[in-house]
């Protein structure tokens, strides 16, 4: 197959691209606008592959998208390009509505005009809202209840995808996945942020009391699940993907502190890195708990995660320790942006 991957230079998209090149025979066309969240380094390991092409383009630009579809004639689309950071969506929701809703609409229209065999839309468990501690996990029929501008924009895009399936017979697939972690995760997100700040002995901000619960999945397991769905899923179906690894944010941050202490050596002060944890005002509308029931994808497509959270997190911390070349320029750039914003 020729697979067009939008957002293929981002965190999850690049893991999908690496998986497609390293573990399948498919051809890959990356379409990415190269926003702040994209990096060349994330696909460096497969850059020499003759099966990989790159097109710079904005998914909201209908003319550019039809040009790209005409040039490459992809068989399937895996649509990951999005604005993805909840805090940014609270500060500036417009970009989220534009990219996630209008961009998905534009991609659906381009895919429909090109007559693709499959349109796989990659979404999040956040569209289902927030769970209480004892509530059953989200399943495919859980009603939508998004509560942040990010999750509302993703819910909107999911609805468009379903409507294009029903109305125009576009062969669509949707996956809703829990929180990912792993290599090439942008340093503004919880796990890389805490790892890098802990390494430098900087304060570690935790929202509220840190009792919010997330279900963590290694990005390579997510990429494998997505490729399984695009190859073998049934058009019109939705699949939930999760890691069976529910942890409170505080548990995650404490574990990261212990791993950095162990793998990078103690702080100069001799104190344990857990002493760097500070509790800050909670994020507005902060969802309490996400959990995924992934029985369907496991039963119907035979996928299940290969990484446990304990080994996956340890390997991820080691990856950040070994790959400062990738994250340090991003951190510098973010620091400059923050100074600019404060002016
Ligand atoms: P990311 O922010 O790391 O990457 C997004 C990519 O999309 C970047 O390469 C960026 O340049 C590109 N992009 C953004 N706007 C674009 C535009 N207008 N045109 C073309 N390209 C554009 O995001 P991610 O964490 O890799 O998430 C990928 C997808 O997976 C998103 O749709 C997200 O909603 C979904 N998802 C993420 C998680 C998670 O834990 N990160 C969990 C479940 C689902």
């Amino acid at each position: 197959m020729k697979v067009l991957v939008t957002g293929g230079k981002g965190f999850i998209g690049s893991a999908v691209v690496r998986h497609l090149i390293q573990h399948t025979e498919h051809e890959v066309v990356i379409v990415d606008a190269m926003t702040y969240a994209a990096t060349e380094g994330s696909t460096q390991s497969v850059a020499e592959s003759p099966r990989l092409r790159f097109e710079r383009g904005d998914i909201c630009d209908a003319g550019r998208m039809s040009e790209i579809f005409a040039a490459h004639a992809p068989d399937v689309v895996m649509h990951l390009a999005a604005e993805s950071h909840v805090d940014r969506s609270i500060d500036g929701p417009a970009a989220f509505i534009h990219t996630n809703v209008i961009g998905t609409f534009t991609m659906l229209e381009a895919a429909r005009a090109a007559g693709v065999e499959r349109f796989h839309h990659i979404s999040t468990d956040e569209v289902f809202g927030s769970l209480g501690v004892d509530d059953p996990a989200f399943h495919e029929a859980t009603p939508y209840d998004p509560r942040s501008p990010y999750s509302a924009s993703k819910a909107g895009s999911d609805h468009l995808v379903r409507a294009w399936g029903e109305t125009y017979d576009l062969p669509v697939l949707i996956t809703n996945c829990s929180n990912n972690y792993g290599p090439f995760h942008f340093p503004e997100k919880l796990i890389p942020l805490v790892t890098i700040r802990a390494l430098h002995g900087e304060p570690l901000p935790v929202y509220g009391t840190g009792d919010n619960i997330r279900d963590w999945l290694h990005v390579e397991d997510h990429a494998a699940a997505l490729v399984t769905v695009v190859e073998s899923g049934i058009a019109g179906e939705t699949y939930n993907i999760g890691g069976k690894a529910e942890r409170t944010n505080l548990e995650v941050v404490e574990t990261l502190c212990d791993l950095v202490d162990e793998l990078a050596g103690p702080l100069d002060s001799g104190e344990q890195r857990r002493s760097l944890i500070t509790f800050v005002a909670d994020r507005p509308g902060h969802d309490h708990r996400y959990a995924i029931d992934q029985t369907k994808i496991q039963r119907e497509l035979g996928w299940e995660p290969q990484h446990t959270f304990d080994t996956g997190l340890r390997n991820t911390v080691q990856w950040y320790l070994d790959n400062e070349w990738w994250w340090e320029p991003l951190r510098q750039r973010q620091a400059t942006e923050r100074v600019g914003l404060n002016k």
Side-chain angles (χ1 to χ4, degrees), residues 324-337:
E324 194 171 338
W325 66 272
W326 181 77
W327 52 261
E328 184 54 24
L330 304 176
R331 219 166 92 100
Q332 297 287 345
R333 200 177 73 200
Q334 266 197 311
T336 321
E337 277 171 9

Side-chain angles (χ1 to χ4, degrees), residues 225-241:
L226 295 178
V227 172
T228 302
V229 168
V230 86
E231 287 177 341
S232 329
I234 296 170
E237 292 291 323
T238 292
Y239 300 90
N240 278 1
I241 306 171

Side-chain angles (χ1 to χ4, degrees), residues 29-44:
V29 181
I30 298 176
V31 175
D32 201 300
M34 302 307 285
T35 71
Y36 82 96
T39 64
E40 286 297 345
S42 62
T43 53
Q44 196 169 285

